[in-house]
Amino acid sequence: MMNRRTISALLAGAAVTSACTIPTEPLSNNIAYPFRAQVQNATRPEVHNQYMNLFIAGGGDRHLFIGPVGEPTYDLTLVDGVINHVPNGVRAVIGGEIDHTTKLFMTGRGDYRAVFEPTYACNPDTDELQIELRFVEWQNQPTGGWICVRSAFENSHEFRYNPPGNTLIDVDRECIKVTLVVIPTTGLPPQSSTTLSTSTIPAPTGTTTTTTTATTTSVPSSTPSGAFTDLTALGYRFLGCAPEERWTTDGSFRTLSGATESSADAMTNQRCAAFCTAAGFKYAGSEWSRECWCGNAFAPTRQPATTLASLAQCNFKCTGDLGQFCGGDAWLSLYEKCEAGAACDNVVFT
Ligand SMILES: *[C@@H]1O[C@H](CO)[C@@H](O)[C@H](O)[C@H]1NC(C)=O
């Protein structure tokens, strides 16, 4: 195994000669010295050479972003090919949220891990020797996938996993294939975990110009009506905050699979309900600030809870109205079209 000084010497030596010679010695799958993870794709300047940030999320998880979201992290390590952040007790896994790709994030729970292999390579800009974390596999899944980043809120990009043979493409949210590179943090102070933000994940803000990065959007328990949009006057009742596709616990199928649309700047619950009605569906669910999903049925395991606390999961503001919530990260704000002539009441949450 190589220590940090050896790596630094190798990098320095390569810089002097300005020619990249790949060492023949194999690299260990464990990197004990602290490092930052850099993203590279030289053909895509909007993401090239940015660093992976950790953003605190529910249950102690960390979501992974590049750009002006999350906290820079100087003390990642690699344990048997898995990226760890020891101060927060989390490691990189894949799962939880699936659509065209699957989420790469960090958690302390037992989700299947993302496995990488440290590999020498030449920096595409400088030709200096660098150590890349080549993606090997999603633990226990077929090999051949890759890591990518796609645009998220506030000019950030979120990390995703593109599975082998994937033919699904979201034209609104291209997932850019990236290489992860180990940047040893010699000379940089280790980041204390206590400096991480303790706010919940900020709601995406669509095309507004707000620069707030830590808006807390928890649901006030005394005013449940603020947690959803009352559409009863329009003939829709709110059913609750329903779980979406959950690979590790409930399979990779959408809660509502009839029709879908997305709007980066104009999604509201009214729009989603109208879209699903026009498409001939009974249920309408908004998600991730900008998505709308429709269907005529959903699995019993996707039934929303009726507790006030459950509404807190649907805390992403709608791209078309920051005064409304349009679901959450793998959660749907779920509405049902009321029967003609029947009472039209929202579910009561207690
Ligand atoms: C850069 O991203 C594009 C789009 O995802 C991809 O086709 C290309 O292979 C990537 N290049 C590298 C070096 O990863």
Side-chain angles (χ1 to χ4, degrees):
M1 194 193 308
M2 304 181 69
N3 62 30
R4 194 197 315 178
R5 182 172 303 180
T6 312
I7 300 290
S8 300
L10 277 169
L11 293 172
V16 168
T17 60
S18 192
C20 183
T21 305
I22 305 291
T24 53
E25 64 176 282
L27 282 163
S28 165
N29 278 343
N30 291 280
I31 297 178
Y33 56 82
F35 65 87
R36 301 182 78 182
Q38 188 183 58
V39 159
Q40 291 181 359
N41 183 329
T43 66
R44 303 302 296 263
E46 71 269 38
V47 303
H48 188 50
N49 288 340
Q50 295 202 47
Y51 290 94
M52 176 190 279
N53 292 339
L54 272 53
F55 194 97
I56 196 163
D61 290 356
R62 296 296 186 282
H63 290 181
L64 303 177
F65 291 90
I66 56 173
V69 163
E71 295 290 333
T73 303
Y74 298 93
D75 47 0
L76 299 171
T77 54
L78 196 74
V79 180
D80 293 333
V82 178
I83 301 171
N84 275 243
H85 190 234
V86 172
N88 287 307
V90 292
R91 59 184 166 234
V93 304
I94 295 169
E97 180 201 296
I98 306 173
D99 41 55
H100 301 83
T101 54
T102 308
K103 197 176 192 70
L104 174 75
F105 66 106
M106 297 185 89
T107 185
R109 297 190 306 273
D111 304 56
Y112 286 149
R113 297 159 200 182
V115 182
F116 297 88
E117 182 176 54
T119 310
Y120 287 117
C122 303
N123 184 291
D125 303 328
T126 64
D127 200 34
E128 290 174 23
L129 187 65
Q130 66 182 17
I131 293 175
E132 299 178 356
L133 294 178
R134 295 265 168 88
F135 180 74
V136 179
E137 62 170 350
W138 179 10
Q139 188 185 21
N140 297 343
Q141 303 289 329
T143 57
W146 33 266
I147 300 302
C148 57
V149 295
R150 71 178 187 188
S151 64
F153 55 94
E154 301 196 348
N155 296 318
S156 68
H157 284 75
E158 60 169 340
F159 282 78
R160 310 285 300 186
Y161 160 76
N162 187 65
N166 185 21
T167 55
L168 299 174
I169 294 172
D170 184 340
V171 291
D172 291 334
R173 303 178 79 191
E174 178 198 9
C175 207
I176 303 168
K177 183 180 182 183
V178 293
T179 302
L180 286 180
V181 180
V182 171
I183 307 294
T185 56
T186 312
L188 286 173
Q191 185 87 343
S192 161
S193 64
T194 58
T195 63
L196 286 169
S197 160
T198 54
S199 64
T200 55
I201 190 165
T205 53
T207 56
T208 68
T209 55
T210 177
T211 54
T212 303
T213 57
T215 307
T216 300
T217 53
S218 60
V219 175
S221 58
S222 57
T223 54
S225 61
F228 60 88
T229 311
D230 186 351
L231 302 181
T232 50
L234 298 174
Y236 301 90
R237 53 196 295 260
F238 181 66
L239 297 184
C241 184
E244 252 293 9
E245 195 167 52
R246 305 210 172 248
W247 181 282
T248 50
T249 56
D250 193 31
S252 57
F253 60 94
R254 282 284 174 181
T255 301
L256 299 176
S257 58
T260 186
E261 69 151 358
S262 171
S263 172
D265 59 5
M267 185 54 63
T268 62
N269 288 300
Q270 288 88 339
R271 172 180 168 137
C272 182
F275 169 79
C276 290
T277 296
F281 293 100
K282 176 179 171 186
Y283 297 108
S286 58
E287 181 177 355
W288 188 250
S289 295
R290 67 181 68 205
E291 299 170 0
C292 175
W293 298 84
C294 317
N296 279 326
F298 53 85
T301 50
R302 306 294 170 84
Q303 177 74 39
T306 57
T307 59
L308 277 174
S310 70
L311 299 179
Q313 304 286 356
C314 286
N315 64 351
F316 280 29
K317 295 173 185 172
C318 304
T319 56
D321 181 353
L322 299 182
Q324 294 185 29
F325 293 114
C326 282
D329 187 352
W331 292 92
L332 288 168
S333 293
L334 183 63
Y335 294 82
E336 178 184 23
K337 188 162 176 55
C338 298
E339 301 279 340
C344 192
D345 298 316
N346 297 313
V347 165
V348 175
F349 298 90
T350 54

